[in-house]
Amino acid sequence: MGVRAAPLLAPDSKPFNLTLDGHSARVTSIGTVRTGAGEDSRVYMSLSDFRSWTGLEPSVVEIAASGGPEEVTSLLQQLQNAVPGADVRAVRQVTEGEANVLGKTRSTLLSSSAFIVCTAALCVLATLMGWVFDRRRDFAIMKALGASDLLIAMFVAGEAAALALAGAILGFAAGSGIATWIGWVNFHAPVAPRLSVFPTVLAGCLAVTLLATLLPLQLLRRIQPAMILRGE
């Protein structure tokens, strides 16, 4: 049974009746099907059970085929040759419509992601600039004590990388949780977290954060310890 049909017909996994033209069949659910499409609202049975219940032969067979237009056309020709009396049709308009919707959705998501990344980079840059400005006396003291620009740059980059790591972990966990919630509420389908994506997320966070540190590091190189310590 489809996961949407099961709660309506067999909420407690108890047997139920299906009736067609006065013929009734006692059905017991032995499992569920989840595809995220129309199959989730259907009940499936073996061909022999269907024949004994209705006394009818199936009139429509649906075949899901993936591939390009040439492969689909070739499959249609093979089916027509194998079953000469059958009316073989391709339901391309549904597939093409879904592909167009998915393509537009993908473009929108990519554009939104690019905008979010740019906004996040600006936020990180503003945060690091403020952080460097607030701690300029500390960096001036470090320079006065002999710290090199490279050492200070490594210190700033290391702290920024630690913040990026924490942000990547929290962001990935929050994003996975929100995606799972949206999947259940809107599509009644599970969205499993993909841990294989986390390295890419982490690398992206580190890249954005470290690139945002370039301008603050340029300001640190211009710090004159004597002027800062005198309060100028």
Side-chain angles (χ1 to χ4, degrees):
M1 300 181 63
V3 292
R4 296 181 185 174
L8 300 176
L9 298 177
D12 300 323
S13 299
K14 295 181 180 180
F16 59 96
N17 293 324
L18 293 176
T19 304
L20 176 67
D21 295 335
H23 300 282
S24 180
R26 190 71 170 172
V27 180
T28 301
S29 176
I30 60 173
T32 57
V33 175
R34 182 189 300 274
T35 65
E39 291 81 2
D40 293 352
S41 301
R42 300 173 184 171
V43 177
Y44 299 88
M45 63 176 59
S46 66
L47 183 58
S48 58
D49 291 335
F50 176 80
R51 286 170 174 165
S52 62
W53 169 38
T54 63
L56 302 174
E57 292 292 331
S59 57
V60 177
V61 177
E62 294 183 357
I63 299 176
S66 59
E70 297 80 6
E71 296 175 343
V72 173
T73 302
S74 175
L75 178 60
L76 290 177
Q77 188 63 40
Q78 294 177 17
L79 291 174
Q80 190 67 60
N81 295 334
V83 189
D87 181 13
V88 182
R89 300 180 183 178
V91 193
R92 283 199 181 96
Q93 51 268 39
V94 175
T95 304
E96 292 176 356
E98 291 179 349
N100 292 332
V101 171
L102 290 177
K104 293 180 180 178
T105 303
R106 183 173 181 270
S107 300
T108 302
L109 289 177
L110 289 176
S111 301
S112 301
S113 300
F115 176 76
I116 292 172
V117 169
C118 293
T119 304
L122 292 175
C123 293
V124 172
L125 176 60
T127 301
L128 291 176
M129 291 288 291
W131 178 67
V132 169
F133 182 79
D134 292 338
R135 301 179 63 179
R136 63 189 184 280
R137 291 184 60 87
D138 297 336
F139 294 121
I141 294 174
M142 293 175 63
K143 279 193 172 184
L145 295 177
S148 63
D149 290 335
L150 178 60
L151 178 61
I152 295 177
M154 293 177 61
F155 174 77
V156 174
E159 189 163 343
L163 293 176
L165 175 62
I169 295 174
L170 293 177
F172 182 80
S176 299
I178 293 173
T180 301
W181 177 76
I182 292 175
W184 277 113
V185 172
N186 294 326
F187 306 106
H188 304 286
V191 179
R194 296 176 57 187
L195 296 179
S196 59
V197 179
F198 179 72
T200 305
V201 174
L202 178 58
C205 288
L206 290 174
V208 170
T209 303
L210 294 179
L211 287 175
T213 60
L214 294 179
L215 183 57
L217 290 178
Q218 291 294 328
L219 296 178
L220 285 177
R221 295 181 60 184
R222 300 177 183 177
I223 288 180
Q224 298 296 328
M227 297 178 60
I228 297 297
L229 295 178
R230 286 203 309 263
E232 298 180 7

